Amino acid sequence: MRVLIIEDNFRLAELMGRGIANCGFSPDIVSSIGDAEAALADANYDAIILDLGLPDGDGLVWLRRERSKAPLPPVLILTARDGLGDRVAGLDAGGDDYLIKPVEIEELAARLRALLRRPGPRGQPVIRIGRLTFDVAARSGAIDGRTLELTRREADLLELLVRRVGTVVRRSMIEEALYRFDEAVTPNAVEAIVSRLRHKLNDADRPDVLITVRGMGYMIRDSGA
Ligand code: CA
């Protein structure tokens, strides 16, 4: 996942870049608004880390202007401005998350993963979990960009699981989500769908992400955790 770091403190930018690269992201670093605009025109990014005090302008002003123009990837504001008013202004200007410097790399990476999972109203409604993506609008799943051939119920199940990544989803909840109340559900129906979905996920050559938690239900593993 490509991340654009907009930060004019070179040492901090390098540190963040190395840190999130170790967590599996592919960062590009720019140090000004001008360079950020050039980078965004040039490549597709999955997320932006935005410092506010930049040599050629205020990141907040830039963000508000960009948000009103075109869809931007999710933006995580990372700044020393720690007042309540600053945080509110940052989120109101179009920031999707707001972190105060200094920040631990582990938290930064976790916030990025959370942003990338979130089906933002203005961003692309795509939930990403490692190599697996789920397009909420198209109701389709893909691994490394290769679309999985899913039935409607398999897609429903995948959505249910990816939206609760890292937590166990009970079988009763899956039944309720997948079947109308007037539909008869055979005892093994959920197991059968889970099993078909798991095969399709595994056919795409990945470690088992859809796991059974005995006696409880099913879970998609958070590959970033
Ligand atoms: Ca700065």
Side-chain angles (χ1 to χ4, degrees):
M1 278 169 283
R2 296 190 69 174
V3 177
L4 182 63
I5 299 175
I6 311 174
E7 169 64 66
D8 64 328
N9 179 327
F10 183 70
R11 270 199 55 224
L12 176 61
E14 283 284 305
L15 214 64
M16 276 198 292
R18 266 207 307 278
I20 66 169
N22 284 335
C23 298
F25 296 95
S26 309
D28 286 341
I29 297 170
V30 293
S31 57
S32 68
I33 288 171
D35 288 349
E37 288 182 343
L40 285 164
D42 214 47
N44 283 318
Y45 290 95
D46 299 296
I48 295 172
I49 298 173
L50 176 66
D51 177 33
L52 295 184
L54 291 162
D56 55 348
D58 188 301
L60 211 57
V61 175
W62 173 77
L63 177 59
R64 193 177 295 117
R65 195 175 62 225
E66 289 302 305
R67 276 280 188 236
S68 65
K69 285 200 304 206
L72 272 186
V75 174
L76 187 157
I77 295 172
L78 180 62
T79 176
R81 299 180 195 169
D82 61 355
L84 173 63
D86 295 313
R87 280 179 276 153
V88 170
L91 296 171
D92 279 348
D96 296 281
D97 200 354
Y98 196 101
L99 271 175
I100 312 287
K101 291 176 186 172
V103 68
E104 297 292 335
I105 289 298
E106 288 80 5
E107 180 173 14
L108 184 61
R111 299 278 192 130
L112 284 175
R113 286 196 294 271
L115 274 189
L116 294 169
R117 284 201 293 269
R118 196 189 296 171
R122 61 175 96 75
Q124 313 101 319
V126 174
I127 302 170
R128 289 168 197 278
I129 299 155
R131 297 160 56 208
L132 170 68
T133 53
F134 186 83
D135 184 322
V136 175
R139 311 203 40 69
S140 68
I143 287 176
D144 290 336
R146 277 181 294 147
T147 304
L148 300 164
E149 298 294 332
L150 301 177
T151 63
R152 183 183 59 80
R153 281 215 170 103
E154 288 162 5
D156 287 348
L157 173 62
L158 183 56
E159 176 169 16
L160 188 69
L161 292 170
V162 297
R163 282 187 182 277
R164 290 165 185 76
V165 58
T167 55
V168 177
V169 181
R170 292 183 176 280
R171 189 170 313 165
S172 57
M173 189 177 179
I174 296 175
E175 281 182 14
E176 279 168 36
L178 265 55
Y179 295 92
R180 295 195 312 271
F181 68 91
D182 57 348
E183 275 180 301
V185 187
T186 60
N188 294 324
V190 168
E191 281 93 316
I193 295 179
V194 167
S195 151
R196 284 201 304 272
L197 178 60
R198 179 181 284 135
H199 273 294
K200 290 180 182 180
L201 291 170
N202 289 352
D203 274 354
D205 185 31
R206 58 178 291 122
D208 212 354
V209 282
L210 202 178
I211 59 175
T212 303
V213 183
R214 202 170 284 280
M216 292 186 69
Y218 304 96
M219 177 171 93
I220 293 268
R221 237 198 288 256
D222 182 355
S223 58

